Amino acid sequence: MPDQPPATPMPELFTWEFATDPYPAYAWLREHSPVHRTVLPSGVEAWLVTRYADARQALADQRLSKNPAHHAGSAHAKGRTGIPGERKAELMTHLLNIDPPDHTRLRRLVSKAFTPRTVAEFAPRVRELTDGLIDRFAAQGSADLIHDFAFPLPIYAICDLLGVPREDQDDFRDWAGMMIRHGGGPRGGVARSVKKMRAYLAELIHRKREAPGDDLISGLIRASDHGEHLTENEAAAMAFILLFAGFETTVNLIGNGMYALLRHPEQRERLQRALARGDERLLATGVEELLRYDGPVELATWRYATEPLTLGGRDIAAGDPVLVVLAAADRDPERFGDPDTLDLARRDNQHLGYGHGIHYCLGAPLARLEGQTAIATLLRRLPDVRLAGDPDDLRWRGGLIMRGLRTLPVEFAAETK
């Protein structure tokens, strides 16, 4: 008997309605076409991988290269993958674009300057930044948690960690804002910001070579492996990707996480009660659940088949781009019980929000620190925080890789001194 067609037609992908809530479409794909070939809004053809088991396999499969040179598409198509402007700015040699053995060497060098100890020592500064930002709006009784809080916090944090002088950090905030505003539209605005950032990083690296400090860029310059140092281009590319990948993911972790808590008051109140008792265990599991439930990275960054391979029963040709849909995999009912329910106490939660395999996110400890600190501090200082306006009026930023709100207006009882 021939296969029966799906009872419901395939939902349309990459519309504004899809951006608002992509999860029903991903559920359809998981069931009917778990490894699905599609044409992206950019015109590039790629495979979408939506089931957890296939996604986990793909993320660790060394036949799927991170190097864009393996893309079999035209030069025009190749220019529409990756971060706009990074090729012209000579910022390609970072961890998201390379494979072993170069990836192994660079990650080992960078890890020496980006250790858990470094992150732990940075915790007081994150708390200081968090409280300082809330101080700016706590007396007003209202705020946009994206613009006023979730966006500036990781920018200032990563700038401090990298060693960007305080007087230059607002420039970084402007460049990062350009990346977010134009991330789903014309690539020119992002490329211009990347070019400006590259010029600044070249100058800053030169200054750090002359007068190194106790910061990450100085650590990148000092890092060596058997006498082999990072080149200036490698150091600039690594600083760039730590900033680029480290800020928007955390913006979205805080924004999406707070939005989910505001839409699930029973979970939010449960967390507030635990925090009031001084118990932060639910905070730790809760942030992992927020990453799984509506995480900041919707699709893992680009991969390219280096040889013909089979994934999820589909034959993928050499040179084909493959995009692992983390948002779909992390709601796979074959892996997570009741996956569409937010449960801050969920224990068996090996989500893929930070990837898997050798490309697992190097900055995950810092993102967790910032997410936990931001959410806990907001709930403690603004205990009655609530959405201002209709949730249906909120808009999500267009874009392929990241998932985040444009704005998150809230109201609360104003703090009084």
Side-chain angles (χ1 to χ4, degrees):
M1 185 174 179
D3 292 339
Q4 294 296 314
T8 56
M10 178 179 165
E12 192 174 357
L13 304 179
F14 310 120
T15 63
W16 286 111
E17 292 78 13
F18 169 84
T20 299
D21 183 11
Y23 296 103
Y26 289 149
W28 191 99
L29 287 175
R30 277 196 312 266
E31 181 176 357
H32 300 292
S33 185
V35 178
H36 180 75
R37 189 171 180 86
T38 190
V39 178
L40 304 172
S42 63
V44 175
E45 289 189 55
W47 294 93
L48 303 180
V49 181
T50 55
R51 286 181 180 169
Y52 182 91
D54 295 334
R56 189 175 168 91
Q57 174 190 334
L59 290 171
D61 194 328
Q62 294 194 21
R63 297 172 299 175
L64 292 174
S65 170
K66 297 292 291 175
N67 189 337
H70 290 291
H71 185 189
S74 65
H76 180 69
K78 289 181 179 182
R80 293 182 175 272
T81 66
I83 299 170
E86 63 178 354
R87 189 183 303 273
K88 287 186 178 179
E90 298 184 315
L91 291 170
M92 294 290 290
T93 53
H94 57 69
L95 292 176
L96 296 186
N97 281 342
I98 56 175
D99 305 314
D102 286 337
H103 178 272
T104 308
R105 176 181 68 88
L106 286 183
R107 189 174 178 107
R108 186 163 55 230
L109 285 169
V110 173
S111 295
K112 293 179 179 180
F114 204 76
T115 63
R117 179 182 174 185
T118 302
V119 172
E121 291 173 347
F122 196 57
R125 177 58 178 156
V126 173
R127 291 194 293 270
E128 179 185 358
L129 285 168
T130 300
D131 274 316
L133 289 168
I134 295 175
D135 286 343
R136 297 181 185 181
F137 58 76
Q140 299 173 6
S142 64
D144 174 0
L145 285 185
I146 303 298
H147 181 269
D148 298 327
F149 184 72
F151 175 71
L153 174 60
I155 280 290
Y156 292 141
I158 197 69
C159 280
D160 278 358
L161 199 64
L162 287 169
V164 177
R166 300 281 170 88
E167 62 269 20
D168 295 341
Q169 292 186 5
D170 282 340
D171 287 336
F172 267 80
R173 180 175 175 167
D174 290 344
W175 298 330
M178 181 69 73
M179 292 177 186
I180 280 188
R181 286 193 298 275
H182 292 277
R187 295 165 67 87
V190 181
R192 284 192 294 273
S193 294
V194 168
K195 184 178 180 180
K196 291 177 182 177
M197 196 176 292
R198 174 64 175 92
Y200 177 84
L201 286 172
E203 178 189 349
L204 183 61
I205 288 169
H206 178 73
R207 298 202 316 250
K208 296 288 185 182
R209 285 193 191 279
E210 299 294 322
D214 185 21
D215 55 69
L216 187 52
I217 287 182
S218 297
L220 291 173
I221 294 168
R222 286 191 298 266
S224 65
D225 186 29
H226 303 296
E228 187 174 15
H229 292 263
L230 293 170
T231 67
E232 181 174 312
N233 272 356
E234 288 172 340
M238 286 307 310
F240 165 74
I241 203 60
L242 289 171
L243 178 74
F244 190 91
F247 89 88
E248 191 173 0
T249 52
T250 308
V251 175
N252 296 346
L253 168 57
I254 297 168
N256 298 5
M258 283 301 300
Y259 179 63
L261 291 174
L262 294 173
R263 297 298 303 275
H264 296 81
E266 72 293 342
Q267 292 291 312
R268 178 265 211 57
E269 290 163 11
R270 183 181 183 188
L271 178 54
Q272 285 177 306
R273 289 194 298 269
L275 293 172
R277 296 193 304 269
D279 183 354
E280 296 200 348
R281 289 175 296 180
L282 190 64
L283 176 64
T285 60
V287 167
E288 298 308 305
E289 174 69 347
L290 294 170
L291 282 160
R292 182 202 69 81
Y293 180 77
D294 197 11
V297 183
E298 191 166 340
L299 283 72
T301 49
W302 295 83
R303 285 166 166 78
Y304 311 89
T306 58
E307 61 184 77
L309 58 95
T310 300
L311 184 62
R314 299 298 300 271
D315 294 329
I316 295 173
D320 280 358
V322 175
L323 290 165
V324 177
V325 187
L326 305 177
D330 280 343
R331 290 211 190 182
D332 187 342
E334 294 295 317
R335 177 59 185 83
F336 300 99
D338 204 6
D340 294 323
T341 296
L342 181 70
D343 178 7
L344 298 185
R346 189 184 295 269
R347 295 290 179 183
D348 182 18
N349 195 1
Q350 294 182 13
H351 63 77
L352 300 176
Y354 288 122
H356 173 65
I358 63 170
H359 290 283
Y360 183 84
C361 178
L362 192 67
L366 178 61
R368 285 189 170 101
L369 168 67
E370 292 176 345
Q372 290 180 19
T373 303
I375 288 170
T377 307
L378 282 169
L379 294 180
R380 284 180 176 131
R381 290 191 56 179
L382 311 175
D384 66 337
V385 64
R386 58 197 177 275
L387 283 172
D390 189 333
D392 291 338
D393 292 335
L394 295 177
R395 294 293 177 263
W396 296 79
R397 290 193 301 274
L400 190 64
I401 302 298
M402 300 292 185
R403 173 166 172 78
L405 286 162
R406 292 178 179 271
T407 61
L408 184 56
V410 296
E411 297 172 336
F412 45 86
E415 276 190 352
T416 56
K417 297 295 185 182

